[in-house]
Amino acid sequence: MSTTLTQAELSTLPLRHRGKVRDVFDVPDALLPAEDRGSGDHLLIVATDRLSAFDVVLPDPIPGKGEMLCQISNFWFEKTAHLMPNHLTGIPVAAVLPAGVDPAAYEQRAVVTRRLKPVPVEAIARGYVIGSGWKDYQRTGRISGIRLPDGLRQAEQLAEPIFTPSTKAAVGEHDENIDFDTMVRTVGAELAEQIRDATLRLYRYAAEYASARGILLADTKFEFGTDADGRLYVMDEMLTPDSSRYWPADEYQVGSSPPSYDKQIVRDWLETQDWDKTPPGPRLPAEVIERTRARYADALQKLAGISID
């Protein structure tokens, strides 16, 4: 059975960051295997079951969500390691947990990673016209400065996937799509081209893999970071239902927004409530929690062949 964790409490590990979903801790050298000591560059990233919607962390978690998202990420990191190096170290989570902490609460939802310098741009690949890209296309005929053919319909597949970077907004703010030239001015031409190439390479591979399992990968967002030598890695989460738009192929129809394997059930329910989208968020009904959990579990099983229960 899956565990439920809303906040990681690891008293002897220095807390570096508590995000909307993930809690990040520094890993002291003393806890590392002997061959990994001395570098001072390891993190423990814990995926909790917190759920955010409209940039607000809601009061109710989705039991097991962190485990499911972590396992999907780990599946994809391993599956794509031949295409792009990633932040995983292979160090067992249990080896770095403080004494007295039950490893069962963390082993499926945490990873020990390299500490990298994050690239300050979201790397997005789109294979279909949907979401903010659809809104931009309707208004300008472009997405992130890329001119697209006239007459495209909502959720229509593009002839080729496109790279559409965005800003990394502060907590509580929204990312904004930017064009490639703006990204070049932000991170430099060489790094921008490396990230664009890696993003499209990873998207094409994942889209083909998912399609063979009855799932369409409409778009996805990657996070990248560099090490002290400037080497590029894909990091954070990867190709999860929270960072990607997955559609059941048998429910896909051009002209409307298909259902997705994520928290859309929660967002749809919240839209029916008298709530101004500021904290605190409303309590979720048990039925909404369970349906959302089932969507994540279905994605994990279909993509990675892993059953959570």
Side-chain angles (χ1 to χ4, degrees):
M1 293 293 291
S2 61
T3 62
T4 301
L5 185 75
T6 55
Q7 184 166 295
E9 299 293 351
L10 302 171
S11 57
T12 61
L13 295 186
L15 178 66
R16 172 170 287 269
H17 175 67
R18 213 181 283 283
K20 286 183 287 188
V21 173
R22 275 173 285 286
D23 295 339
V24 183
F25 299 85
D26 288 317
V27 179
D29 264 9
L31 294 177
L32 294 170
E35 62 270 19
D36 293 300
R37 293 175 190 167
S39 60
D41 63 351
H42 289 80
L43 302 173
L44 178 71
I45 302 178
V46 181
T48 73
D49 297 328
R50 296 193 296 267
L51 181 73
S52 71
F54 304 110
D55 293 314
V56 174
V57 176
L58 301 178
D60 297 292
I62 304 297
K65 179 174 79 77
E67 291 187 344
M68 290 185 272
L69 294 183
C70 186
Q71 288 181 80
I72 289 177
S73 277
N74 289 349
F75 166 79
W76 283 116
F77 282 132
E78 181 180 354
K79 199 81 177 164
T80 62
H82 65 292
L83 298 175
M84 187 71 201
N86 60 65
H87 69 170
L88 296 185
T89 62
I91 297 171
V93 169
V96 305
L97 292 175
V101 173
D102 181 7
Y106 289 91
E107 285 179 322
Q108 298 299 322
R109 64 168 71 249
V111 287
V112 181
T113 74
R114 297 174 177 86
R115 186 168 66 195
L116 302 168
K117 180 182 178 182
V119 176
V121 172
E122 305 278 11
I124 300 168
R126 299 177 188 272
Y128 296 74
V129 187
I130 195 70
S132 64
W134 169 242
K135 292 177 182 176
D136 288 351
Y137 172 74
Q138 285 180 295
R139 190 174 64 253
T140 67
R142 301 171 183 266
I143 303 178
S144 292
I146 300 171
R147 180 73 194 178
L148 297 176
D150 294 336
L152 292 178
R153 293 173 291 167
Q154 185 182 25
E156 187 162 353
Q157 186 174 17
L158 298 169
E160 290 289 336
I162 58 175
F163 175 67
T164 63
S166 76
T167 60
K168 266 189 184 176
V171 174
E173 299 179 8
H174 295 288
D175 298 341
E176 292 185 8
N177 294 335
I178 58 175
D179 60 25
F180 187 71
D181 288 344
T182 301
M183 180 176 175
V184 167
R185 290 194 294 272
T186 303
V187 305
E190 183 178 354
L191 185 57
E193 289 172 5
Q194 283 184 49
I195 290 171
R196 179 177 60 187
D197 292 347
T199 298
L200 292 174
R201 186 165 64 247
L202 291 168
Y203 172 82
R204 288 188 176 100
Y205 179 88
E208 182 178 352
Y209 181 92
S211 178
R213 285 146 186 83
I215 296 177
L216 303 180
L217 176 57
D219 52 43
T220 193
K221 174 181 69 176
F222 296 108
E223 304 266 4
F224 289 94
T226 55
D227 63 14
D229 297 322
R231 189 185 189 197
L232 188 67
Y233 296 80
V234 61
M235 53 178 263
D236 196 29
E237 63 179 322
M238 183 180 186
L239 291 160
T240 71
D242 276 9
S243 66
S244 314
R245 203 182 313 259
Y246 286 112
W247 295 330
D250 59 1
E251 298 182 57
Y252 169 67
Q253 252 187 337
V254 177
S256 63
S257 181
S260 55
Y261 286 97
D262 66 355
K263 55 192 173 187
Q264 189 61 48
I265 292 166
V266 172
R267 287 192 291 260
D268 290 346
W269 181 82
L270 289 171
E271 291 285 19
T272 70
Q273 304 303 298
D274 183 17
W275 177 50
D276 62 1
K277 298 185 176 62
T278 60
R283 300 296 304 268
L284 297 176
E287 181 260 347
V288 169
I289 292 173
E290 181 50 39
R291 286 174 56 212
T292 301
R293 182 186 181 280
R295 293 296 277 179
Y296 283 115
D298 195 26
L300 178 63
Q301 200 284 322
K302 284 192 166 87
L303 290 170
I306 298 171
S307 295
I308 196 74
D309 294 327

